[in-house]
Amino acid sequence: MFRLRFIDRLKFFVERQFVKGASYQLLVVVAVIGLISLVGGMLVLPLGEYDEHLGNAVWWAFLRLTDPGYLGDDEGTWRRIVSTWLTVSGYVVFLGALVAIMTRWLIAIMEQLELGLTPVSLKNHIVILGWNNRTVPLLRELVMSTSRVGRFLRERDIKRLQIVVLSEQVSSEQIQLLRQDPGIGRRAKHIILRSGSALQPEALHRVACLQAAAVIIPFQSHEPDSLVTSDVETVKALLSIHAQARERNQPLPYVVTEVEDVRKFSVASRAYPGPLEVVAGDATISRLVAQNIIHPGLSELYGELLTAHEGNELYLRPAAPYAGLAITEVEARCPDAIMFGLMRPDAAGELHARLNVPSDEVLTPQDTLVLMARSFDETEPRAHAVSDRRVHRIAAVEEDTPGVQSKRLLILGWNRRVPAIITELASYDDYDFDVDLVSIVPASARIADISRYSDNAARVACQHIEADYMVEGELRRLQPGRYDSIVLLCSDRLSSGEEADARAIVGYLVLDEILQDQQVKPQILLELSDPANEDLLERNSSETIISSMILSHMLSQVTLRRELRLVYDELFTAQGAEILFNDPDDYHLRAAASFGEFEVKAGAVGETALGICRSQPNAHGKRLQLNPPRGKAMDLLPGDQLVVLTTL
């Protein structure tokens, strides 16, 4: 039998000790130092200068091994030879090996700390489970929502907002990305990154999920044909949080999650019995696309109401201090805000959003006011009513429908939201849509996806065309000028959102070139995933929906004020209140009429006046002016439209 040599066995033993870590490596070095000291002591012991005591000789050798300064004290050729050997060995073993081991150990500790594997010691913080293209917009929306964050902190008696993000792999690029973001900037120091997956219970413990004030589970992108979808990961994360809370006998935290497929609502609710708000990502964007097709011009309104940038947002305020007053009396005390509606519990205590409420509606202590304003402070009712603001809004009167309207729609591109868009279009009974779907995805796969999604989608006539809309010849043969609306969708089959946006933008430029000589151009709606790409189009006559930004805003706002989800659901569905763009002649207004006069005229027909949509954009490219000053003349020009909230 083959036997290893002694030196091989020794090398193997040393190797096994070194791979065990720094502590074992130090023990090996200590053993080698001891062995060298022993050998050195034994070599000088015969000189007879150490009282024939081996310990003294070994100590002499150890001093030469660790401190070269003793080298000059030795006399005699043999002792100097041994002393020199010990000093050189000390440089190699004592200094070299020891410093190398300690340095590697410190570097390993620093790398481990940088990986974010240490559990956080926080309470009442916000946890985001996942890092993707929506994480930075979500963080930006959270830190920029100052009024809602202030209320969020006061309710939990904490001084500042702390956010923990769970990422598959923490890197310095992520930290730099947060610091360079104009909306986050210095506030990045309050954002903590931790490594791990939402599917791992130890990773959930690492971000202290059970101690969090709120947990956000955003959408996680996957390959189109992957069996593990974002909804699967979401349900698994909900089950893991529930199991952890049950094991440790702790209460379940408040969770806000994005579900890709609206049909998974009930599954998510069964998986998590705690406080849960579910935002249907694909269904939400599909609703916005459908409404924008029916009411052109809404995309700019989405960009203002559903982002935390300059402009108006929706705010909620308790109505208890004003119980017994009519809506018109509270409106008169809020000259800088618009009364959007209210939220009221039913007999079972379940909240319902009611928008475009009549002015004579009397408030109850359980009501919550929904107001649109530029800041939360502007929603604070004054002590005394403003005498020149008395809006008398009647109950919306059901008008005779003009019949079924036909719309020809061209959809360029394909992603997972198309079946939801078709289903949403089918929910509008007053419209008959004729849709042409253009994509390089095989028509059979598209037909199967739509039929699997919903039976109602069959109401919409869809013609599937296999073509690449980026090829000008193929797009020109479609005669895009004959459609009422054209939608360009960013693909989810590419490796990154940047590539998908680049393809959609190039497609828009090709389409714009074809329609250049068209006198009456169709409405063009462009979907992008990255808000930075919108600025690439210097001359953009289309409407743009930034899906990631809108969903990030909704997730952040529902996290800070969960009742807002009911308002969004009421506002952006076929059965709820609708935002319309009407002709000023419908209200018999003068061009120099003020917005206050428009409020009165709109209220007389059961509508809530919201603002003005100009026919020509201003210097910043904006056409929409929401909540303008009430006493100032609107200076209406031909082509201008008035924006109202109504109930159909």
Side-chain angles (χ1 to χ4, degrees):
M1 187 177 76
F2 176 75
R3 296 176 63 86
L4 288 174
R5 294 179 301 167
F6 172 77
I7 190 66
D8 293 331
R9 292 198 297 269
L10 179 62
K11 287 167 63 178
F12 178 72
F13 173 78
V14 173
E15 176 206 319
R16 299 313 301 162
Q17 306 312 306
F18 265 70
V19 298
K20 292 180 181 179
S23 57
Y24 285 89
Q25 294 171 4
L26 289 174
L27 287 176
V28 172
V29 172
V30 169
V32 173
I33 292 173
L35 180 62
I36 295 174
S37 301
L38 177 62
V39 173
M42 293 176 65
L43 290 175
V44 298
L45 186 62
L47 297 178
E49 297 183 8
Y50 301 100
D51 300 329
E52 297 183 354
H53 195 284
L54 181 60
N56 293 333
V58 172
W59 178 249
W60 173 89
F62 178 75
L63 292 177
R64 271 68 184 168
L65 182 68
T66 57
D67 189 353
Y70 287 101
L71 189 62
D73 297 338
D74 296 320
E75 296 179 356
T77 303
W78 178 246
R79 191 164 48 245
R80 287 176 177 174
I81 291 174
V82 175
S83 180
T84 302
W85 171 70
L86 289 171
T87 300
V88 173
S89 300
Y91 277 115
V92 174
V93 179
F94 187 79
L95 291 179
L98 195 61
V99 169
I101 291 172
M102 294 298 294
T103 302
R104 287 186 59 187
W105 176 63
L106 289 174
I107 291 175
I109 290 178
M110 292 172 64
E111 288 179 348
Q112 187 175 16
L113 292 175
E114 289 176 353
L115 286 175
L117 299 176
T118 307
V120 300
S121 179
L122 295 174
K123 291 181 66 177
N124 290 326
H125 55 293
I126 292 179
V127 173
I128 300 176
L129 299 180
W131 180 283
N132 52 30
N133 65 336
R134 297 186 189 175
T135 305
V136 174
L138 179 55
L139 292 169
R140 186 190 309 124
E141 295 287 340
L142 285 171
V143 300
M144 291 181 66
S145 301
T146 53
S147 59
R148 290 199 178 101
V149 168
R151 177 183 176 275
F152 183 84
L153 298 178
R154 287 191 299 272
E155 287 181 348
R156 289 154 182 82
D157 195 23
I158 50 180
K159 295 182 179 179
R160 66 178 179 219
L161 182 66
Q162 293 275 14
I163 305 175
V164 182
V165 182
L166 184 65
S167 174
E168 288 282 353
Q169 190 69 39
V170 174
S171 64
S172 57
E173 288 81 3
Q174 293 172 328
I175 299 173
Q176 190 66 21
L177 188 63
L178 295 177
R179 290 174 179 171
Q180 291 178 346
D181 188 88
I184 300 175
R186 295 181 179 178
R187 287 171 284 196
K189 62 184 178 181
H190 300 309
I191 300 173
I192 303 169
L193 301 181
R194 284 294 176 264
S195 294
S197 169
L199 303 181
Q200 303 168 342
E202 61 272 15
L204 298 178
H205 169 68
R206 193 173 298 143
V207 295
C209 264
L210 299 184
Q211 289 74 40
V215 179
I216 305 175
I217 309 178
F219 168 81
Q220 297 291 335
S221 59
H222 291 275
E223 294 295 329
D225 299 326
S226 174
L227 295 177
V228 179
T229 64
S230 176
D231 291 350
V232 172
E233 289 198 4
T234 296
V235 173
K236 174 62 167 59
L238 293 173
L239 290 171
S240 298
I241 298 173
H242 183 207
Q244 219 173 59
R246 187 173 61 247
E247 179 183 346
R248 302 185 182 189
N249 196 25
Q250 293 186 11
L252 290 167
Y254 168 48
V255 175
V256 179
T257 182
E258 180 183 346
V259 171
E260 177 182 351
D261 189 346
V262 69
R263 297 167 298 180
K264 298 294 190 300
F265 263 46
S266 58
V267 177
S269 300
R270 286 201 303 270
Y272 192 76
L276 175 69
E277 288 293 338
V278 181
V279 175
D282 287 353
T284 298
I285 298 300
S286 302
R287 292 168 184 168
L288 300 186
V289 169
Q291 292 225 345
N292 214 127
I293 292 170
I294 295 172
H295 308 300
L298 278 177
S299 61
E300 192 173 332
L301 184 140
Y302 301 152
E304 183 165 341
L305 286 186
L306 300 179
T307 57
H309 301 305
E310 292 183 4
N312 291 267
E313 289 188 60
L314 297 180
Y315 296 97
L316 303 183
R317 181 174 286 277
Y322 318 104
L325 297 180
I327 288 285
T328 185
E329 298 179 74
V330 179
E331 279 185 297
R333 299 186 185 188
C334 302
D336 299 319
I338 291 177
M339 185 66 64
F340 227 74
L342 56 84
M343 301 185 68
R344 177 172 292 173
D346 57 17
E350 185 177 353
L351 274 178
H352 294 275
R354 296 178 55 197
L355 306 183
N356 190 40
V357 181
S359 296
D360 58 359
E361 185 80 31
V362 178
L363 297 173
T364 69
Q366 292 77 31
D367 290 343
T368 301
L369 299 175
V370 183
L371 301 109
M372 185 180 76
R374 282 169 287 272
S375 68
F376 185 72
D377 293 337
E378 291 185 355
T379 66
E380 176 72 43
R382 299 180 181 179
H384 302 288
V386 179
S387 59
D388 61 347
R389 190 187 183 193
R390 284 289 180 179
V391 179
H392 297 284
R393 188 182 311 106
I394 66 171
V397 179
E398 292 189 9
E399 299 180 358
D400 295 333
T401 58
V404 177
Q405 303 180 50
S406 298
K407 271 186 174 289
R408 295 211 64 186
L409 175 62
L410 176 64
I411 298 180
L412 301 178
W414 178 268
N415 58 32
R416 65 181 182 277
R417 281 187 286 274
V418 174
I421 293 174
I422 300 300
T423 302
E424 188 66 25
L425 292 174
S427 66
Y428 289 86
D429 298 328
D430 298 336
Y431 289 87
D432 184 14
F433 293 97
D434 185 8
V435 181
D436 287 347
L437 282 163
V438 179
S439 173
I440 58 176
V441 177
S444 58
R446 288 181 268 162
I447 294 172
D449 285 348
I450 294 174
S451 61
R452 279 197 300 263
Y453 189 86
S454 172
D455 295 334
N456 294 334
R459 281 196 64 247
V460 178
C462 294
Q463 180 182 356
H464 296 271
I465 303 170
E466 293 188 24
D468 188 355
Y469 64 81
M470 293 185 66
V471 179
E472 182 177 351
E474 295 188 11
L475 188 56
R476 194 179 292 275
R477 280 194 293 271
L478 295 172
Q479 300 178 7
R482 61 194 175 97
Y483 293 93
D484 298 308
S485 300
I486 302 176
V487 181
L488 286 104
L489 300 175
C490 60
S491 174
D492 56 1
R493 294 175 174 263
L494 299 177
S495 58
S496 67
E498 289 80 5
E499 294 179 4
D501 284 358
R503 183 176 171 84
I505 290 172
V506 172
Y508 165 74
L509 294 175
V510 174
L511 180 64
D512 189 55
E513 178 69 22
I514 295 173
L515 297 174
Q516 192 170 14
D517 298 330
Q518 191 90 14
Q519 290 186 350
V520 180
K521 296 184 179 181
Q523 173 205 13
I524 301 177
L525 181 61
L526 175 63
E527 182 202 8
L528 298 176
S529 61
D530 188 347
N533 292 328
E534 187 178 15
D535 298 331
L536 297 178
L537 297 174
E538 186 175 337
R539 184 178 58 85
N540 184 9
S541 60
S542 71
E543 298 185 59
T544 306
I545 289 182
I546 314 294
S547 54
S548 61
M549 207 167 177
I550 289 174
L551 291 173
S552 297
H553 178 82
M554 294 184 68
L555 285 172
S556 65
Q557 301 312 301
V558 172
T559 299
L560 300 174
R561 193 66 190 265
R562 63 182 302 183
E563 298 92 342
L564 275 172
R565 184 186 65 82
L566 301 175
V567 179
Y568 293 143
D569 288 346
E570 171 69 14
L571 188 59
F572 300 124
T573 54
Q575 291 75 28
E578 300 236 358
I579 296 175
L580 303 180
F581 292 74
N582 293 336
D583 193 307
D585 292 339
D586 296 343
Y587 304 93
H588 307 289
L589 288 171
R590 301 172 292 110
S594 67
F595 184 72
E597 295 178 61
F598 171 42
E599 276 193 311
V600 174
K601 295 279 190 179
V605 293
E607 298 173 345
T608 302
L610 299 182
I612 313 161
C613 184
R614 303 291 185 183
S615 58
Q616 297 298 324
N618 60 15
H620 303 286
K622 293 189 64 176
R623 299 193 303 131
L624 189 67
Q625 186 181 5
L626 294 178
N627 192 19
R630 280 159 181 78
K632 187 178 178 181
M634 293 188 290
D635 296 327
L636 297 173
L637 299 174
D640 290 350
Q641 293 178 301
L642 299 176
V643 188
V644 298
L645 176 69
T646 187
T647 306
L648 300 179

